[in-house]
Amino acid sequence: MTSATHIPVMLERCVEILGPALERPGAVVLDATLGLGGHSEAFLQRFPEARLIGLDRDPQALEASGRRLRRSASVQRWCTRCTTRSRRCSRA
Ligand SMILES: C[S@@+](CC[C@H](N)C(=O)[O-])C[C@H]1O[C@@H](n2cnc3c(N)ncnc32)[C@H](O)[C@@H]1O
């Protein structure tokens, strides 16, 4: 992913469909194409108690999403290309 901006597609529909599950205690979001983190950011803003696991094969996308999501607690990002864990982001 080379562009620094990306408009997430069907964002409201995704939140509408997944929202009921994310309201539950202990909810985990697995974003298997994290990209720049637009969908995940929206999920965490609306469901701040949810834990996010983000996967992407593009280390640059993981870096960018990490900057975007760094204020959110309980975010883990993993690179699927090399299967290593990206730097853990934490509010603390
Ligand atoms: C359109 S972007 C996702 C945008 C993201 N949902 C957002 O809101 O910013 C697609 C992402 O999927 C990743 N991707 C595509 N195929 C993949 C695969 N097989 N495994 C892991 N990531 C993949 C790309 O690297 C790219 O970052």
Side-chain angles (χ1 to χ4, degrees):
M1 182 171 291
T2 54
S3 172
T5 59
H6 173 74
I7 299 172
V9 295
M10 297 179 64
L11 180 58
E12 289 308 316
R13 184 70 178 130
C14 291
V15 171
E16 182 183 315
I17 291 170
L18 297 176
L22 299 180
E23 290 171 344
R24 296 180 187 162
V28 177
V29 185
L30 174 61
D31 187 340
T33 54
L34 183 64
L36 297 181
H39 285 98
S40 288
E41 181 180 54
F43 286 133
L44 292 173
Q45 284 172 346
R46 291 173 212 201
F47 308 100
E49 302 304 316
R51 180 174 168 220
L52 171 74
I53 299 174
L55 308 179
D56 207 289
R57 66 182 176 186
D58 180 352
Q60 288 182 300
L62 288 168
E63 178 100 19
S65 61
R67 286 193 297 271
R68 186 174 196 169
L69 301 171
R70 68 175 170 241
R71 288 192 174 77
S72 300
S74 301
V75 175
Q76 294 179 20
R77 293 166 296 117
W78 294 74
C79 179
T80 60
R81 194 163 55 179
C82 56
T83 66
T84 56
R85 186 172 167 186
S86 195
R87 188 168 57 86
R88 185 179 177 126
C89 298
S90 172
R91 207 181 306 183

